[in-house]
Amino acid sequence: MQLTDFDRELIAATQSGLPLVSRPYEAVGAMIGVSGERVRERLAQMIEEGLIRRIGAVPNHYRLGYLANGMTVWDVADERVDELGERIGALPAVSHCYRRPRELPIWPYNLFAMVHGRSRDEVQQQADTIRRLLGDACRGSDILYSSAILKKAGLRISES
């Protein structure tokens, strides 16, 4: 797919995020000389065409007071990992959950669930909830706490 000049303008105008205003699409449209409706329509088309995957909020958990962020990792039976992952991903404390291949013999875990808390005790309580949900399917687990804030960035395009 070839990007149009409009696509490039739209991407450049949104690559640092949508403006934090009550009508962000209208604000982007004003920057590039089109209506907010045109911005919404083209972004929706770009999602349908696979040019962009999604539009979403990227919270800074530390600024929100969630200072203990832990990736919980679980070793569960492969034949149940999808079903259990769906259930864990639906928990309110889990921001994202996904399946990964094991790297035996070093890494036995195949299910990952990110949880956030104001303290490590809170994260541990959430991990305990996940463990109860897994029941006998849980063969092992660990929690990997974040030690740094990594910059999250979306699509970037050269303006030239």
Side-chain angles (χ1 to χ4, degrees), residues 45-64:
Q45 289 170 343
M46 292 170 113
I47 291 172
E48 286 180 22
E49 295 167 359
L51 289 172
I52 55 178
R53 285 190 300 172
R54 62 190 159 119
I55 298 170
V58 181
N60 181 326
H61 295 96
Y62 290 92
R63 283 187 163 184
L64 295 172

mmCIF file of all heavy atoms in Angstrom, residues 45-64:
data_model
loop_
_atom_site.group_PDB
_atom_site.id
_atom_site.type_symbol
_atom_site.label_atom_id
_atom_site.label_comp_id
_atom_site.label_asym_id
_atom_site.label_seq_id
_atom_site.Cartn_x
_atom_site.Cartn_y
_atom_site.Cartn_z
ATOM 1 N N GLN A 45 -10.087 3.732 8.269
ATOM 2 C CA GLN A 45 -9.674 3.005 7.053
ATOM 3 C C GLN A 45 -8.269 2.429 7.223
ATOM 4 O O GLN A 45 -8.000 1.304 6.790
ATOM 5 C CB GLN A 45 -9.690 3.938 5.845
ATOM 6 C CG GLN A 45 -11.073 4.328 5.394
ATOM 7 C CD GLN A 45 -11.035 5.452 4.345
ATOM 8 O OE1 GLN A 45 -10.023 6.142 4.191
ATOM 9 N NE2 GLN A 45 -12.144 5.618 3.636
ATOM 10 N N MET A 46 -7.387 3.202 7.830
ATOM 11 C CA MET A 46 -6.009 2.731 8.026
ATOM 12 C C MET A 46 -5.976 1.498 8.928
ATOM 13 O O MET A 46 -5.161 0.600 8.726
ATOM 14 C CB MET A 46 -5.139 3.862 8.593
ATOM 15 C CG MET A 46 -4.922 4.991 7.609
ATOM 16 S SD MET A 46 -4.147 6.411 8.403
ATOM 17 C CE MET A 46 -2.567 6.375 7.568
ATOM 18 N N ILE A 47 -6.875 1.448 9.893
ATOM 19 C CA ILE A 47 -6.973 0.261 10.744
ATOM 20 C C ILE A 47 -7.478 -0.914 9.918
ATOM 21 O O ILE A 47 -6.918 -2.004 9.957
ATOM 22 C CB ILE A 47 -7.877 0.527 11.969
ATOM 23 C CG1 ILE A 47 -7.184 1.503 12.922
ATOM 24 C CG2 ILE A 47 -8.227 -0.779 12.677
ATOM 25 C CD1 ILE A 47 -8.053 1.979 14.068
ATOM 26 N N GLU A 48 -8.541 -0.686 9.129
ATOM 27 C CA GLU A 48 -9.085 -1.763 8.276
ATOM 28 C C GLU A 48 -8.052 -2.269 7.282
ATOM 29 O O GLU A 48 -8.003 -3.460 6.980
ATOM 30 C CB GLU A 48 -10.313 -1.252 7.510
ATOM 31 C CG GLU A 48 -11.539 -1.099 8.361
ATOM 32 C CD GLU A 48 -12.718 -0.583 7.560
ATOM 33 O OE1 GLU A 48 -12.730 -0.737 6.327
ATOM 34 O OE2 GLU A 48 -13.638 -0.018 8.185
ATOM 35 N N GLU A 49 -7.226 -1.371 6.768
ATOM 36 C CA GLU A 49 -6.218 -1.740 5.774
ATOM 37 C C GLU A 49 -4.962 -2.324 6.401
ATOM 38 O O GLU A 49 -4.061 -2.773 5.697
ATOM 39 C CB GLU A 49 -5.847 -0.498 4.942
ATOM 40 C CG GLU A 49 -6.989 0.015 4.110
ATOM 41 C CD GLU A 49 -6.737 1.415 3.535
ATOM 42 O OE1 GLU A 49 -5.656 1.991 3.802
ATOM 43 O OE2 GLU A 49 -7.632 1.920 2.850
ATOM 44 N N GLY A 50 -4.882 -2.289 7.715
ATOM 45 C CA GLY A 50 -3.723 -2.841 8.401
ATOM 46 C C GLY A 50 -2.528 -1.897 8.455
ATOM 47 O O GLY A 50 -1.440 -2.311 8.841
ATOM 48 N N LEU A 51 -2.719 -0.638 8.062
ATOM 49 C CA LEU A 51 -1.619 0.320 8.153
ATOM 50 C C LEU A 51 -1.294 0.645 9.604
ATOM 51 O O LEU A 51 -0.134 0.875 9.951
ATOM 52 C CB LEU A 51 -1.973 1.610 7.405
ATOM 53 C CG LEU A 51 -2.002 1.499 5.893
ATOM 54 C CD1 LEU A 51 -2.559 2.771 5.279
ATOM 55 C CD2 LEU A 51 -0.587 1.249 5.378
ATOM 56 N N ILE A 52 -2.306 0.703 10.420
ATOM 57 C CA ILE A 52 -2.125 0.864 11.858
ATOM 58 C C ILE A 52 -2.955 -0.215 12.529
ATOM 59 O O ILE A 52 -3.964 -0.671 11.978
ATOM 60 C CB ILE A 52 -2.503 2.275 12.361
ATOM 61 C CG1 ILE A 52 -3.930 2.646 11.971
ATOM 62 C CG2 ILE A 52 -1.519 3.302 11.843
ATOM 63 C CD1 ILE A 52 -4.363 4.008 12.487
ATOM 64 N N ARG A 53 -2.503 -0.656 13.695
ATOM 65 C CA ARG A 53 -3.201 -1.749 14.377
ATOM 66 C C ARG A 53 -4.323 -1.265 15.265
ATOM 67 O O ARG A 53 -5.357 -1.906 15.363
ATOM 68 C CB ARG A 53 -2.231 -2.574 15.210
ATOM 69 C CG ARG A 53 -1.379 -3.475 14.360
ATOM 70 C CD ARG A 53 -0.607 -4.436 15.181
ATOM 71 N NE ARG A 53 0.269 -3.680 16.085
ATOM 72 C CZ ARG A 53 0.967 -4.219 17.048
ATOM 73 N NH1 ARG A 53 0.889 -5.500 17.276
ATOM 74 N NH2 ARG A 53 1.752 -3.487 17.803
ATOM 75 N N ARG A 54 -4.114 -0.152 15.940
ATOM 76 C CA ARG A 54 -5.124 0.314 16.876
ATOM 77 C C ARG A 54 -4.810 1.727 17.320
ATOM 78 O O ARG A 54 -3.707 2.228 17.134
ATOM 79 C CB ARG A 54 -5.199 -0.591 18.084
ATOM 80 C CG ARG A 54 -3.910 -0.619 18.857
ATOM 81 C CD ARG A 54 -3.934 -1.701 19.900
ATOM 82 N NE ARG A 54 -2.557 -2.000 20.239
ATOM 83 C CZ ARG A 54 -2.047 -1.847 21.438
ATOM 84 N NH1 ARG A 54 -2.777 -1.447 22.416
ATOM 85 N NH2 ARG A 54 -0.802 -2.124 21.680
ATOM 86 N N ILE A 55 -5.794 2.334 17.932
ATOM 87 C CA ILE A 55 -5.639 3.632 18.571
ATOM 88 C C ILE A 55 -6.019 3.414 20.026
ATOM 89 O O ILE A 55 -7.117 2.925 20.307
ATOM 90 C CB ILE A 55 -6.552 4.689 17.927
ATOM 91 C CG1 ILE A 55 -6.167 4.869 16.456
ATOM 92 C CG2 ILE A 55 -6.467 6.003 18.690
ATOM 93 C CD1 ILE A 55 -7.138 5.708 15.674
ATOM 94 N N GLY A 56 -5.126 3.719 20.917
ATOM 95 C CA GLY A 56 -5.431 3.473 22.317
ATOM 96 C C GLY A 56 -4.643 4.373 23.237
ATOM 97 O O GLY A 56 -3.668 5.003 22.833
ATOM 98 N N ALA A 57 -5.081 4.416 24.455
ATOM 99 C CA ALA A 57 -4.381 5.186 25.484
ATOM 100 C C ALA A 57 -3.170 4.396 25.973
ATOM 101 O O ALA A 57 -3.223 3.171 26.072
ATOM 102 C CB ALA A 57 -5.318 5.472 26.653
ATOM 103 N N VAL A 58 -2.089 5.082 26.238
ATOM 104 C CA VAL A 58 -0.883 4.469 26.798
ATOM 105 C C VAL A 58 -0.623 5.158 28.127
ATOM 106 O O VAL A 58 0.032 6.192 28.184
ATOM 107 C CB VAL A 58 0.323 4.619 25.849
ATOM 108 C CG1 VAL A 58 1.549 3.952 26.445
ATOM 109 C CG2 VAL A 58 0.002 4.049 24.474
ATOM 110 N N PRO A 59 -1.166 4.601 29.197
ATOM 111 C CA PRO A 59 -1.001 5.267 30.494
ATOM 112 C C PRO A 59 0.423 5.134 31.025
ATOM 113 O O PRO A 59 1.095 4.144 30.772
ATOM 114 C CB PRO A 59 -1.986 4.525 31.403
ATOM 115 C CG PRO A 59 -2.124 3.181 30.783
ATOM 116 C CD PRO A 59 -1.938 3.371 29.294
ATOM 117 N N ASN A 60 0.838 6.146 31.731
ATOM 118 C CA ASN A 60 2.102 6.080 32.471
ATOM 119 C C ASN A 60 1.727 5.627 33.877
ATOM 120 O O ASN A 60 1.257 6.415 34.687
ATOM 121 C CB ASN A 60 2.788 7.441 32.489
ATOM 122 C CG ASN A 60 4.112 7.387 33.220
ATOM 123 O OD1 ASN A 60 4.270 6.648 34.194
ATOM 124 N ND2 ASN A 60 5.061 8.177 32.756
ATOM 125 N N HIS A 61 1.926 4.338 34.142
ATOM 126 C CA HIS A 61 1.484 3.765 35.419
ATOM 127 C C HIS A 61 2.145 4.429 36.613
ATOM 128 O O HIS A 61 1.531 4.585 37.661
ATOM 129 C CB HIS A 61 1.739 2.261 35.422
ATOM 130 C CG HIS A 61 0.920 1.547 34.408
ATOM 131 N ND1 HIS A 61 1.389 1.226 33.159
ATOM 132 C CD2 HIS A 61 -0.355 1.140 34.441
ATOM 133 C CE1 HIS A 61 0.448 0.636 32.476
ATOM 134 N NE2 HIS A 61 -0.624 0.554 33.228
ATOM 135 N N TYR A 62 3.383 4.826 36.469
ATOM 136 C CA TYR A 62 4.080 5.465 37.588
ATOM 137 C C TYR A 62 3.407 6.783 37.951
ATOM 138 O O TYR A 62 3.206 7.090 39.119
ATOM 139 C CB TYR A 62 5.558 5.686 37.245
ATOM 140 C CG TYR A 62 6.345 4.403 37.177
ATOM 141 C CD1 TYR A 62 6.503 3.731 35.980
ATOM 142 C CD2 TYR A 62 6.915 3.862 38.325
ATOM 143 C CE1 TYR A 62 7.220 2.545 35.918
ATOM 144 C CE2 TYR A 62 7.631 2.684 38.275
ATOM 145 C CZ TYR A 62 7.778 2.025 37.067
ATOM 146 O OH TYR A 62 8.474 0.853 37.005
ATOM 147 N N ARG A 63 3.059 7.599 36.940
ATOM 148 C CA ARG A 63 2.390 8.872 37.209
ATOM 149 C C ARG A 63 1.020 8.668 37.834
ATOM 150 O O ARG A 63 0.511 9.528 38.531
ATOM 151 C CB ARG A 63 2.254 9.687 35.934
ATOM 152 C CG ARG A 63 3.527 10.351 35.534
ATOM 153 C CD ARG A 63 3.275 11.269 34.381
ATOM 154 N NE ARG A 63 4.374 12.190 34.256
ATOM 155 C CZ ARG A 63 4.423 13.152 33.396
ATOM 156 N NH1 ARG A 63 3.411 13.335 32.554
ATOM 157 N NH2 ARG A 63 5.447 13.950 33.332
ATOM 158 N N LEU A 64 0.398 7.534 37.573
ATOM 159 C CA LEU A 64 -0.907 7.227 38.158
ATOM 160 C C LEU A 64 -0.778 6.641 39.562
ATOM 161 O O LEU A 64 -1.786 6.342 40.190
ATOM 162 C CB LEU A 64 -1.668 6.253 37.248
ATOM 163 C CG LEU A 64 -2.052 6.811 35.879
ATOM 164 C CD1 LEU A 64 -2.630 5.704 34.992
ATOM 165 C CD2 LEU A 64 -3.049 7.954 36.015
#
